[in-house]
Amino acid sequence: MDHAGQDATTVFVPVHPSDTLDKNLPHEKHLGSLDKTSIQELRTSVKNKGKTRDELRVEEAIKNKPPLRRMINIQDIEETAKKLLPYKAFAYYSSAADDSITHVENSRAFSRFFFCPRIMKEVSGVDPSTLMLGYKSSIPIYISGSALARLGHPLGEVNLTRGAYQTGILQMVSSNSSLSYRQIAAARGSPDQPLFFQIYKQKNDQSAAKRIREVEALGYKAIFLTVDALVHSNRELDTRAPHYLEDYENQGQVTQEKAVEEAVDIDTVGTAGGLVASNDIDMTWEKTIPWIRSVTKLPVVIKGIQCVQDAVLAVEAGCEGIVLSNHGGRQLDFSLPPMEVLYKLRNERPDVFTRTEVYIDGGVRRGTDVLKALCLGARMVGLGRAFLFAQSAYGEAGVVHLVRILEREIKFGMASLGVRTVDELVPDLVERVDWQPLAPKL
Ligand SMILES: Cc1cc2nc3c(=O)[nH]c(=O)nc-3n(C[C@H](O)[C@H](O)[C@H](O)COP(=O)(O)O)c2cc1C
């Protein structure tokens, strides 16, 4: 209720799709239209409000934004975006669970895999394209569904959809998108552009079924059921954001709140708070997969597999795909990096790779990361934060640029490994070392 009785447009719009009220507020709660005098008063009060220090900082950073051509790798894009983002968006996008161990290790895990390239192979005409659930992607990466793209850019998810179309890659749309599923579908470059839908299943089966039917009718091609983020996690960067902003707006003076020596509940809800409230936290293989099958004929992929046993159970449950993922290190700190899970799966249950499609996400920052995962049997690799940062800093062009960077790195890597197509990327081309390189790319 922080904004009750005030103009809440600027806080409401970036995190709520335009159909939120229609979908969630019963008609009898609509209390009529706003009278003209109030609108005028609101306008005047917004005009007179003045800008916050954080808004002024962002304005200055945007003025000094480097041209896109200077962004030569993903790290450059992330660093630029972090300078340009409002602090709240930066904190939400960057945050990870507890001490960010898993978040950091997701990336570092790739550094423990080295290549054994083959030479004297014909590598002209390298083709990095592949199929995901039967849909073609120009390179083996996809946009992993990540919430609230409009926190970073007014066009939000539309940037991602248009960028995916221009570059011929695939996009998974978050069920917590900041635009409506319809608006995102309408941004497709053609009705054939495939979109996948990521769902957090709601407790209420009817609401969940309604959502699945809605996206199916809009032409979405698959359901990615997220299973690793059902409960609210501890993301301290996000939790601290209001305190940071309070001190920052106070010209850097740390707020001297009167020390009240009584234990209080820490407000850990953060930006994502309301998003998990209606999640079904009692899902099971026996109950939930047959239920989804009863609602839709679309392929079902489980997103958030973190161990070999669950990968096998997903196969036995008949899922068309699995995503080895720990939510980018945002949920349970010390869950294994997906690259390590992939390695275990390859060694312990190689049959899984022929029985279902295996994807991986988390910590991917280089074309070589993508190739290492493909060598071990992943079909596609997802990226979350990198796309959020790219669209925040440079809109649709940023998304296209990011894909071009990865395409260049992937093609170079394939030619250097002695392969022409993704099918030729096999386990013999990588070796896991038990030491961590001295200068990991972080
Ligand atoms: C800001 C943010 C929001 C996210 N929102 C969702 C979401 O709504 N649903 C989901 O399944 N995963 C979500 N994810 C996880 C991503 O889909 C993906 O698994 C993760 O970001 C991969 O790690 P990376 O950021 O290192 O690439 C989110 C990730 C971030 C960073």
Side-chain angles (χ1 to χ4, degrees):
M1 296 303 278
D2 284 354
H3 304 280
Q6 300 163 38
D7 178 10
T9 313
T10 52
V11 283
F12 184 86
V13 168
V15 294
H16 293 91
S18 57
D19 57 0
T20 304
L21 294 180
D22 290 337
K23 277 184 177 166
N24 300 301
L25 199 68
H27 204 67
E28 61 279 10
K29 299 269 165 62
H30 292 201
L31 300 180
S33 34
L34 201 60
D35 73 83
K36 289 209 172 95
T37 356
S38 308
I39 297 178
Q40 199 45 50
E41 277 169 21
L42 281 174
R43 281 203 187 119
T44 319
S45 79
V46 169
K47 215 166 137 198
N48 295 340
K49 195 177 102 212
K51 293 192 173 132
T52 64
R53 251 188 114 201
D54 196 47
E55 285 164 346
L56 293 170
R57 176 192 61 77
V58 169
E59 274 182 15
E60 200 51 33
I62 291 173
K63 266 192 240 151
N64 297 319
K65 181 167 77 168
L68 191 47
R69 66 184 157 74
R70 291 203 180 176
M71 304 292 112
I72 59 166
N73 62 31
I74 294 186
Q75 195 73 21
D76 291 344
I77 298 178
E78 290 203 7
E79 277 163 22
T80 303
K82 285 178 175 177
K83 288 186 198 140
L84 300 167
L85 281 168
Y87 189 78
K88 191 177 160 195
F90 157 77
Y92 177 62
Y93 287 174
S94 308
S95 62
D98 289 359
D99 300 306
S100 296
I101 305 292
T102 287
H103 173 40
V104 172
E105 291 300 326
N106 279 354
S107 266
R108 273 166 48 100
F110 287 101
S111 315
R112 291 189 289 276
F113 291 83
F114 280 73
F115 290 118
C116 317
R118 301 303 308 271
I119 52 165
M120 303 293 277
K121 300 266 194 179
E122 292 179 0
V123 290
S124 55
V126 159
D127 175 9
S129 68
T130 192
L131 296 176
M132 183 180 194
L133 299 170
Y135 297 97
K136 186 168 178 190
S137 180
S138 59
I139 58 173
I141 63 144
Y142 64 90
I143 302 174
S144 189
S146 303
L148 309 185
R150 290 186 79 201
L151 276 182
H153 190 283
L155 291 180
E157 289 81 6
V158 160
N159 288 322
L160 301 175
T161 307
R162 290 181 179 156
Y165 180 72
Q166 275 201 56
T167 53
I169 64 157
L170 299 167
Q171 179 189 5
M172 178 208 306
V173 172
S174 163
S175 60
N176 288 332
S177 293
S178 45
L179 288 171
S180 71
Y181 313 140
R182 179 177 295 280
Q183 286 170 312
I184 298 170
R188 285 175 297 185
S190 93
D192 300 334
Q193 179 183 351
L195 290 177
F196 302 140
F197 185 71
Q198 173 276 318
I199 191 165
Y200 287 111
K201 185 190 168 291
Q202 292 133 302
K203 280 189 237 340
N204 181 318
D205 281 358
Q206 280 174 353
S207 310
K210 200 168 155 200
R211 191 182 264 183
I212 293 175
R213 291 199 183 103
E214 178 191 350
V215 294
E216 190 169 0
L218 288 168
Y220 287 71
K221 303 292 185 208
I223 301 295
F224 282 66
L225 176 69
T226 295
V227 292
D228 61 357
L230 308 181
V231 287
H232 185 58
S233 71
N234 181 42
R235 301 177 190 162
E236 295 180 4
L237 191 67
D238 196 30
T239 304
R240 283 187 211 280
H243 310 159
Y244 172 87
L245 280 172
E246 201 180 328
D247 294 343
Y248 186 70
E249 295 306 328
N250 204 11
Q251 301 290 318
Q253 299 289 316
V254 175
T255 308
Q256 296 297 322
E257 274 183 50
K258 224 167 118 212
V260 181
E261 290 185 354
E262 66 185 44
V264 287
D265 282 342
I266 302 169
D267 178 6
T268 57
V269 168
T271 306
L275 302 180
V276 297
S278 60
N279 284 348
D280 183 349
I281 60 171
D282 294 318
M283 292 191 290
T284 63
W285 295 112
E286 298 74 25
K287 201 172 52 178
T288 311
I289 307 303
W291 173 82
I292 299 191
R293 298 285 188 208
S294 74
V295 175
T296 179
K297 298 264 173 293
L298 292 177
V300 175
V301 178
I302 304 293
K303 176 173 184 287
I305 297 281
Q306 294 159 82
C307 65
V308 172
Q309 293 89 327
D310 280 342
V312 173
L313 289 174
V315 170
E316 286 168 0
C319 297
E320 279 80 3
I322 55 175
V323 188
L324 307 181
S325 170
N326 53 36
H327 220 90
R330 291 162 76 77
Q331 286 300 118
L332 177 65
D333 208 8
F334 290 99
S335 56
L336 269 182
M339 189 60 182
E340 293 289 352
V341 179
L342 178 67
Y343 182 65
K344 273 162 75 90
L345 190 62
R346 162 58 60 195
N347 288 334
E348 292 172 25
R349 292 299 301 254
D351 58 306
V352 165
F353 297 88
T354 52
R355 295 166 73 191
T356 195
E357 296 195 358
V358 177
Y359 321 120
I360 171 174
D361 75 32
V364 176
R365 299 293 178 266
R366 283 282 184 194
T368 47
D369 297 343
V370 175
L371 294 173
K372 289 172 190 178
L374 263 69
C375 285
L376 291 182
R379 177 173 273 272
M380 285 284 265
V381 170
L383 290 91
R385 290 182 184 83
F387 278 109
L388 285 175
F389 288 134
Q391 70 91 27
S392 299
Y394 295 100
E396 178 184 342
V399 177
V400 173
H401 191 73
L402 170 57
V403 178
R404 298 281 179 242
I405 289 173
L406 283 168
E407 183 180 19
R408 176 172 46 78
E409 293 182 351
I410 289 170
K411 282 187 169 170
F412 166 80
M414 286 175 71
S416 307
L417 284 170
V419 305
R420 261 181 177 160
T421 64
V422 292
D423 297 339
E424 296 170 56
L425 293 163
V426 290
D428 281 353
L429 290 171
V430 283
E431 185 172 314
R432 186 184 183 283
V433 298
D434 57 6
W435 43 273
Q436 187 75 41
L438 196 57
K441 39 126 211 199
L442 288 176

